[in-house]
Amino acid sequence: MSGTGAAERKPGSEGPDAAAVADYLARHPDFLVRHPELLRALTPVDARHGDGVADFQRFVATRLQSDLARLASGHAEFAAASRATLAQQRRVHRVVLALVAARSLAHLVEVATVDLAIELEIDAVTLGVETDPAAPFALRAEGLRVWPRGRIDTWLPGGRAALLVADGSADPALFAAAAPLVRSLALLRLGLGDGRPAGLLALGARDGRRFHSGQGNDLLLFLAGALAACLAAWMRR
């Protein structure tokens, strides 16, 4: 009888003996490739071949164990980043639902500034729109900043939709008394429709790396789009 069954075990033993293990590995040379987690438990060989002779077996085994440890660490970091992204997504979705459910323009502004700062755990939020005295509409509400037409282009030149800045200082015209606290910021343009002045949502954090140019901004753009749609709806009322 052959294989890995009882014929490979010594009578009374709980598993195969050394010879059986060696025979199995010889017949299945890819076993450790298919089960790399076992490398953690192996003790690298320490053969002595004389001075000046490299022990490549020990080198390969040690290298494989090191690579496996790095892979496990990278997987843990990726999992943690994924959980953080999912949590941030849920927060933004809660804010958007609250914006849609706002009962008045004043309530909308409160959600977009106060509630948003709490949900995203940031230190300053500014919501503002440009105004034009000749325009047949206007947005007025406590907490809503109003700037002259063209001001937003000075912060987002070239029609940019977003700008994320790390390790910098904030323009007091954006964050007023909170400006000294802000060390990183995200500026998001709010398109309110053809012929209407632009709006701006500015997010500021005391953490200098909370916002930076290398991070994805899909969630922030989604938030800005939802807020712009809500503001435009109040313009039509």
Side-chain angles (χ1 to χ4, degrees):
M1 190 175 192
S2 61
T4 59
E8 295 181 333
R9 295 182 174 86
K10 289 182 177 181
S13 67
E14 296 182 356
D17 59 19
V21 172
D23 177 65
Y24 181 84
L25 292 177
R27 288 185 288 107
H28 300 83
D30 64 339
F31 181 78
L32 291 178
V33 175
R34 291 185 288 108
H35 302 278
E37 68 278 2
L38 295 178
L39 288 169
R40 292 177 178 171
L42 295 180
T43 301
V45 296
D46 190 19
R48 301 297 180 181
H49 302 291
D51 294 339
V53 178
D55 186 349
F56 285 103
Q57 281 185 307
R58 183 177 182 84
F59 171 80
V60 170
T62 302
R63 178 65 178 270
L64 286 172
Q65 288 176 329
S66 177
D67 289 347
L68 183 62
R70 284 197 297 271
L71 180 62
S73 176
H75 177 74
E77 291 176 2
F78 176 78
S82 297
R83 287 193 295 270
T85 299
L86 182 59
Q88 189 80 341
Q89 185 181 64
R90 288 171 177 165
R91 292 180 184 131
V92 169
H93 287 173
R94 283 197 295 266
V95 171
V96 169
L97 290 175
L99 290 172
V100 172
R103 301 180 300 273
S104 65
L105 176 60
H107 186 200
L108 179 71
V109 173
E110 181 182 357
V111 171
T113 53
V114 179
D115 294 2
L116 176 58
I118 295 172
E119 280 286 1
L120 299 189
E121 298 179 343
I122 54 180
D123 301 285
V125 177
T126 295
L127 174 61
V129 294
E130 295 180 344
T131 187
D132 186 340
F137 52 80
L139 285 176
R140 301 290 180 183
E142 183 179 354
L144 180 68
R145 304 285 294 278
V146 177
W147 300 297
R149 196 149 194 175
R151 174 64 62 83
I152 292 175
D153 281 335
T154 65
W155 293 314
L156 291 171
R160 295 184 65 167
L163 176 65
L164 278 63
V165 179
D167 299 319
S169 57
D171 186 344
L174 272 174
F175 294 106
L181 294 175
V182 175
R183 289 293 174 266
S184 67
L185 55 95
L187 304 181
L188 305 167
R189 185 186 294 270
L190 306 178
L192 302 178
D194 294 340
R196 292 174 176 168
L200 180 74
L201 178 66
L203 313 177
R206 67 182 71 203
D207 179 355
R209 301 297 298 174
R210 175 62 190 275
F211 301 110
H212 57 86
S213 59
Q215 77 184 79
N217 59 9
D218 288 349
L219 271 177
L220 294 178
L221 291 175
F222 169 71
L223 173 64
L227 177 55
C230 291
L231 282 172
W234 282 103
M235 279 184 168
R236 294 191 293 267
R237 298 190 181 195

